Amino acid sequence: MGLCAAAFLYVFPYFPKINNPNENVRLYMTAAVVEQGTYEIDAIRDRWGWVNDAAVHHGRVFSVKAPGTSLLGVPGYAAYYWGGRLFGTGFDRTVALWVCRVSASIVPTLLFLFFLHRWLGRRTAHPSLRDATFLSVALGSLLFGYALLFVSHTLSAVCAFGAFMVLYDARHGAPPGRRRAFLAGLLTAGVTFFEYPGLIVSLVLAVYGLLALRLRKRLAWFALGGALPALLVMHFQWVAFENPFMPGHLFVETDALREAHHEGVYGATGFHPEAAYTLLFDPGSGLFPLTPLLALAAIGFPRVLARRGRRLDGAVALACFLLTYVAITFMNNWRGGWTVGPRYLSVVVPFVAWAALEGLDLMAGRAPRAVAVLAVGLTATGLVASGIPSMYYPHLPPEFTRPLTQLYDVLIAHGYAPTNAGNLLGWWGTASMFPVFGLGLAVLVWAAWQPHLAVRDRLSIVVGALLVGGLLTGPLLGAPEPDRRVKDAVAFVTRTWSPEGRDLASKLERHIAEDGHVSFDDYRRLADVYFEEGRDREARRTMRAADLAAERARLRSD
């Protein structure tokens, strides 16, 4: 857990120039609640600037998102805002966002991961399989990326599987008391409190709760726990849209988005075959290629469903996965815009991971060491395919079909790095990310280091896992020659990067500006860097400057 916490807290991927609506509109609502005691974000938008994903009703502007994340951010934001006023330390919007990310997204996720690790450990006798599954969820899936942001996707998954774990233990362990029943209800309704599409999972878990808790007193506390998030959502919708049962999507400010939500049932227009494939299997954005350990759920689900005492639990987990998946394939916005992986499937990741662990556990009965190599190798691929995008730039435009090659290879090679703790020590660029890369290797060794084996055998598992991970990562790297759309997307990312001025192109620019003896090759090198980043405009400007410099040098020699 300590290694995971270090990874979560080391990086701060923040890019203010893209004005990310998924995060900013939630921050605006948090600020409005703390500073003005209202859900309206009109005054905050006047102060900080326009942001998308807002709904306008009777001339008043509100966040269109489920209110959970914004309300969860209130304590942290309030402590920073009022503390700054009390002690005269001032206010900075970027710091406020960091506080909200840590207090309302990262800390709840880490708390969930603590209990998840223990719960998974009770499902298998193989520590490596437990740890590989845990790490695939924590650092090798899209949940990592969305836990680093002030958004709802990971929080919705935390509530969903948190409720499932409590109810599972209620069925198979000691009968829960009032507090556990209340917690189960709170988490069950919390899925939708954070993410409106989580309603499907909330309903499935509510049925599971009725079957798991049975006794009337426990069910009453379960219902009471569920009532709290439900009433908060209803209050927000009533105040904002004059209907406690109507989310704001029909009032979205942007014409195209509003019209899309008016199609069908809130955008559910019919089955999209492309979505059915892409959400699960696309090498650049599919759930299974980016977190390949989850694919072993194909073995785990049948195993659980075949065991009489676990059949209901398996059916609930499978229903959460399948119903959510099918529902998203009917949405006209199934892609979800700029994402890391299929963000609308975030809520089902822990359910699929549990089934994958069941599959691994079954296979380990015949060849435990080989299965450990496979599990850790699959996790290694997830750390690369999902972990790197999550840390570096968790806002991938859909133009990237193989983001590891098309974008992140360029970012790492050219010294782009997100804001991180290394900056406090004067480390910048790719070198500042070495500590977190080291953490990635450390967690793999930790997962493979089975205590009952000799050191030589442990090393063989580590080496084998790295080989397996490399082989599985290979297909995710293959990409066709980038077309203009891909180059333009890379150019947009590099032009809007933050922190500025620490990348290779910026260093070469400063060298050219400050050095009195610049050669044509210096200009040529800078132009090549620009071309690799898709920044043709800057490259042509540099070559014109190179031609002028060469002409001046020729005239001086004459």
Side-chain angles (χ1 to χ4, degrees):
M1 276 303 303
L3 294 174
C4 289
F8 273 82
L9 295 170
Y10 188 83
V11 292
F12 178 58
Y14 177 53
F15 307 95
K17 290 183 180 179
I18 69 173
N19 194 23
N20 177 16
N22 197 18
E23 182 171 53
N24 284 341
V25 77
R26 290 180 165 96
L27 180 67
Y28 281 30
M29 178 171 160
T30 301
V33 171
V34 172
E35 298 180 25
Q36 301 161 357
T38 179
Y39 294 134
E40 297 178 37
I41 64 172
D42 306 63
I44 303 299
R45 284 214 306 183
D46 290 341
R47 187 169 92 210
W48 287 344
W50 181 86
V51 68
N52 207 348
D53 280 0
V56 179
H57 187 64
H58 294 326
R60 299 185 301 165
V61 184
F62 301 90
S63 167
V64 78
K65 305 294 187 180
T69 306
S70 294
L71 295 179
L72 190 61
V74 165
Y77 187 99
Y80 173 67
Y81 179 80
W82 295 112
R85 290 198 160 197
L86 179 64
F87 297 106
T89 56
F91 178 89
D92 183 271
R93 176 182 164 184
T94 301
V95 176
L97 176 60
W98 178 82
V99 169
C100 287
R101 284 186 181 184
V102 172
S103 64
S105 189
I106 292 176
V107 169
T109 301
L110 290 174
L111 182 64
F112 163 75
L113 291 175
F114 172 78
F115 290 104
L116 176 67
H117 186 262
R118 298 174 65 184
W119 190 86
L120 292 174
R122 297 194 293 270
R123 309 280 81 80
T124 180
H126 303 279
S128 286
L129 306 187
R130 172 202 63 197
D131 293 341
T133 304
F134 169 77
L135 291 170
S136 286
V137 172
L139 301 177
S141 76
L142 70 167
L143 296 188
F144 181 31
Y146 289 113
L148 296 178
L149 305 177
F150 188 52
V151 296
S152 62
H153 311 298
T154 297
L155 293 172
S156 187
V158 164
C159 287
F161 205 72
F164 181 81
M165 290 190 294
V166 174
L167 294 172
Y168 183 101
D169 290 343
R171 286 194 72 232
H172 302 289
R178 292 177 297 181
R179 283 181 294 183
R180 283 181 175 270
F182 179 87
L183 176 62
L186 185 74
L187 294 173
T188 295
V191 184
T192 310
F193 179 59
F194 287 107
E195 188 78 2
Y196 283 131
L199 176 62
I200 295 171
V201 173
S202 285
L203 293 175
V204 174
L205 291 172
V207 174
Y208 187 42
L210 293 176
L211 299 173
L213 298 175
R214 298 191 192 94
L215 294 181
R216 187 177 301 173
K217 289 183 178 180
R218 294 181 204 148
L219 291 174
W221 283 100
F222 180 74
L224 184 61
L228 180 59
L231 289 173
L232 286 172
V233 172
M234 292 169 66
H235 182 263
F236 165 67
Q237 293 175 169
W238 176 52
V239 170
F241 312 116
E242 299 181 332
N243 187 333
F245 302 102
M246 179 180 290
H249 292 77
L250 299 183
F251 308 104
V252 174
E253 181 180 33
T254 306
D255 293 339
L257 293 177
R258 185 175 63 254
E259 292 169 4
H261 286 302
H262 276 276
E263 295 177 0
V265 180
Y266 287 98
T269 56
F271 179 68
H272 299 277
E274 181 187 2
Y277 166 79
T278 303
L279 288 170
L280 296 185
F281 305 111
D282 184 82
S285 60
L287 184 68
F288 296 140
L290 299 189
T291 309
L293 183 139
L294 300 181
L296 295 177
I299 300 173
F301 274 125
R303 183 198 190 194
V304 177
L305 294 173
R307 299 167 68 182
R308 181 175 299 177
R310 301 293 188 270
R311 195 166 294 162
L312 174 62
D313 313 299
V316 167
L318 183 60
C320 288
F321 168 56
L322 288 180
L323 292 176
T324 300
Y325 167 64
V326 171
I328 299 306
T329 63
F330 277 76
M331 301 299 296
N332 54 19
N333 187 34
W334 58 266
R335 177 64 172 78
W338 293 25
T339 72
V340 172
R343 66 183 176 104
Y344 292 139
L345 294 184
S346 300
V347 67
V348 305
V349 168
F351 294 96
V352 182
W354 168 53
L357 176 60
E358 292 285 347
L360 286 167
D361 195 63
L362 177 63
M363 296 163 60
R366 294 178 177 270
R369 200 166 302 177
V371 173
V373 170
L374 174 65
V376 180
L378 292 169
T379 301
T381 301
L383 294 183
V384 173
S386 290
I388 289 177
S390 294
M391 292 186 299
Y392 264 83
Y393 194 80
H395 317 287
L396 285 171
E399 287 79 10
F400 293 117
T401 58
R402 296 293 189 280
L404 288 177
T405 300
Q406 294 168 333
L407 177 63
Y408 297 106
D409 187 31
V410 175
L411 295 180
I412 294 172
H414 290 189
Y416 290 94
T419 302
N420 59 68
N423 302 159
L424 301 175
L425 301 175
W427 304 340
W428 299 93
T430 300
S432 69
M433 295 295 286
F434 287 167
V436 80
F437 293 154
L439 282 174
L441 181 60
V443 296
L444 289 176
V445 173
W446 172 59
W449 212 254
Q450 298 187 42
H452 62 279
L453 296 177
V455 172
R456 181 171 156 185
D457 293 329
R458 298 175 188 177
L459 289 174
S460 68
I461 293 177
V462 173
V463 173
L466 292 175
L467 290 174
V468 169
L471 290 173
L472 294 173
T473 304
L476 305 181
L477 301 176
E481 189 68 24
D483 58 20
R484 188 66 259 168
R485 293 170 67 248
V486 171
K487 290 180 179 179
D488 287 344
V490 176
F492 175 84
V493 172
T494 53
R495 284 170 181 154
T496 58
W497 192 264
S498 181
E500 301 178 61
R502 304 291 180 171
D503 56 278
L504 178 58
S506 297
K507 292 178 180 178
L508 291 173
E509 285 180 344
R510 286 196 295 272
H511 168 69
I512 290 173
E514 297 169 1
D515 195 325
H517 304 284
V518 180
S519 68
F520 180 84
D521 288 340
D522 293 320
Y523 284 103
R524 177 77 253 182
R525 186 184 178 201
L526 176 58
D528 288 342
V529 170
Y530 280 138
F531 276 124
E532 290 173 12
E533 295 177 2
R535 300 165 68 178
D536 293 1
R537 183 173 67 246
E538 291 91 333
R540 288 192 292 268
R541 181 194 66 204
T542 300
M543 290 310 300
R544 287 195 296 269
D547 292 338
L548 289 173
E551 179 64 18
R552 286 195 295 268
R554 186 184 66 78
L555 292 174
R556 284 196 299 269
S557 64
D558 291 344

